[in-house]
Amino acid sequence: MAVRRRYKSLAAAGIATAMTLTLASCSGGPGGSDDVTLKLVAADYGDNAANSSKHYWDGVVRAFEAKHPNIKVDVDVYSWEDVDKEVEKRVEAGNAPDMAQIGAYADYAAEGKLYSADDLLSISTQADFTPGLADAGEYHRVQYGLPFGASTRRLFYNKKLFAQAGIDNPPKTWSDIKQDAQLLKDAGVKTPFALPLGPEETQAETMIWMLSGGGGYTDSIGKYTIDSRQNVQTFKWVKDNLVTPGLTGGDPAKLNRQAGFDAFADGKVGMLNGHPTLMQQAKAKGVDYGTVALPGINGPAKSTMGVADWMMGFKQHGHRAEIGKFLDFVYDKDNVLKFSGDYGLLPVTVSASQGMLAEDKYKKLHSFLRQLPDAEFYPADKTSWPLVSKTVKAKMGGAVGSGGDPQQVLTDIENTANEADSATR
């Protein structure tokens, strides 16, 4: 769950930032008159050369350099499979990029390698971040991770298959899910409810179910609660009511998220939890679908899962002022809205969110966007989280499979999490 943010006096922060900028300019350091070339390593949100994120960054850089001729920006775009490893490689080689737009920031923050948001951004830019996303970017109550792309989760359902099974309304509760899945199975649907607990993104599906059952990975102060009573009850229910009766179409431990998305887009899945990019995939295949808030035990879940990717600024080359100028430009309302609209993501700023809600062309994203302020995020502020996520990927599929024991698996993961958390303090 999101760590509660420590709010500071914006006026005090503004004075401190202004003083720092002035001193840097007077000393001939960052902010001086010399030409500077910034290096940015960014993730690719496209799925082919035609819609690669490189095109987005080319446009942003061109517009920025026209306003700031003494600051050049070189952007290297890598696939999501490679981008985190590329940044890690550069950092370990002693040549960190000035900026990185990747999946996690906490390790670099813990090592003292990053500028804080206060170091880099104007007060107006900081204040424009959606609060829950700003919270999720904190390490030890200081924001180092700047949210870049975001999404939330909703339950997708195939309207045609629902109609063929005689289902008039989408599910609102777990009981509805079980009943509807059985009706879909009786109507010949091979996968009534796709449950992707394979190694690709098990940590996401796991968190979705935790939240819908009133639990989560951590409590409000950031302590792991993986084997809580709520979480154990949730996965016992999933095992007994969906997997064992054969309503998931196979072994969840062998189903990856993308395979589940592909099957839904092919019209072979009745229901699954998904994020906004599934809408584009389903539309391309002509699937008539709907989305609803995640069903909970007795009604819609109180919160949904949110996911954010992160921008960060590295200290190594000392280009603090120039990085700040570029990032203030990147987080301009129009730039944030264009990026989000181009790639089916949710804006990370209040101004761009309001802009998206005001435009009918983004109507299908509105229900996802309205959930964002109250969404819960991975505990990305914890340096132990990568190991915990890896452990969840390896074990959670087996917890609900034949012979699986949710209590034992969740306790094993909890023990691993607590040991890792203690070791990184």
Side-chain angles (χ1 to χ4, degrees), residues 133-327:
L133 290 168
D135 293 352
E138 290 184 350
Y139 176 75
H140 286 184
R141 296 179 177 264
V142 176
Q143 186 182 357
Y144 294 96
L146 314 179
F148 188 73
S151 66
T152 59
R153 301 298 190 262
R154 289 173 68 81
L155 181 76
F156 283 69
Y157 65 98
N158 184 310
K159 291 183 177 181
K160 179 180 178 181
L161 296 182
F162 265 51
Q164 290 174 350
I167 304 170
D168 295 327
N169 299 301
K172 295 181 179 179
T173 67
W174 287 1
S175 294
D176 293 342
I177 287 178
K178 178 182 178 181
Q179 179 180 331
D180 293 347
Q182 186 62 57
L183 290 171
L184 288 162
K185 183 180 180 181
D186 294 342
V189 177
K190 182 179 178 181
T191 306
F193 193 102
L195 186 67
L197 293 175
E200 180 188 356
E201 204 179 40
T202 315
Q203 81 282 3
E205 188 72 14
T206 297
M207 184 171 176
I208 290 169
W209 280 98
M210 285 178 171
L211 292 173
S212 70
Y217 281 117
T218 63
D219 61 19
S220 60
I221 61 172
K223 183 181 183 298
Y224 282 116
T225 55
I226 294 168
D227 64 348
S228 68
R229 178 180 56 83
Q230 295 94 328
N231 290 342
V232 171
Q233 290 178 343
T234 291
F235 288 99
K236 283 184 175 178
W237 187 92
V238 170
K239 174 181 167 63
D240 294 341
N241 293 275
L242 294 181
V243 181
T244 300
L247 301 180
T248 58
D251 183 358
K254 297 180 180 178
L255 181 66
N256 281 330
R257 182 204 62 180
Q258 190 56 55
F261 280 18
D262 292 345
F264 185 85
D266 288 336
K268 298 177 180 178
V269 170
M271 296 174 278
L272 83 168
N273 296 314
H275 53 67
T277 57
L278 179 56
M279 295 190 299
Q280 297 174 327
Q281 190 175 350
K283 180 180 178 182
K285 292 289 190 74
V287 172
D288 187 12
Y289 67 90
T291 73
V292 293
L294 299 180
I297 298 174
N298 298 311
K302 293 181 179 179
S303 61
T304 187
M305 174 183 165
V307 174
D309 304 317
W310 304 100
M311 178 72 78
M312 61 210 71
F314 284 86
K315 294 179 178 178
Q316 181 177 348
H317 303 295
H319 296 148
R320 180 190 52 75
E322 292 84 0
I323 294 170
K325 287 180 181 179
F326 180 65
L327 292 181

Side-chain angles (χ1 to χ4, degrees), residues 87-88 90-99 105-116 119-120 139 144 312-318 323:
V87 173
E88 182 180 4
R90 295 190 189 194
V91 171
E92 289 180 349
N95 188 29
D98 294 288
M99 295 165 287
Y105 65 86
D107 283 350
Y108 298 123
E111 294 167 359
K113 297 182 183 296
L114 301 181
Y115 289 115
S116 71
D119 291 331
L120 296 174
Y139 176 75
Y144 294 96
M312 61 210 71
F314 284 86
K315 294 179 178 178
Q316 181 177 348
H317 303 295
I323 294 170

Side-chain angles (χ1 to χ4, degrees), residues 107 110 139-140 382-385 419-425:
D107 283 350
Y139 176 75
H140 286 184
K382 299 169 80 67
T383 56
S384 57
W385 171 243
E419 289 175 8
D421 212 25
S422 298
T424 56
R425 285 175 184 167

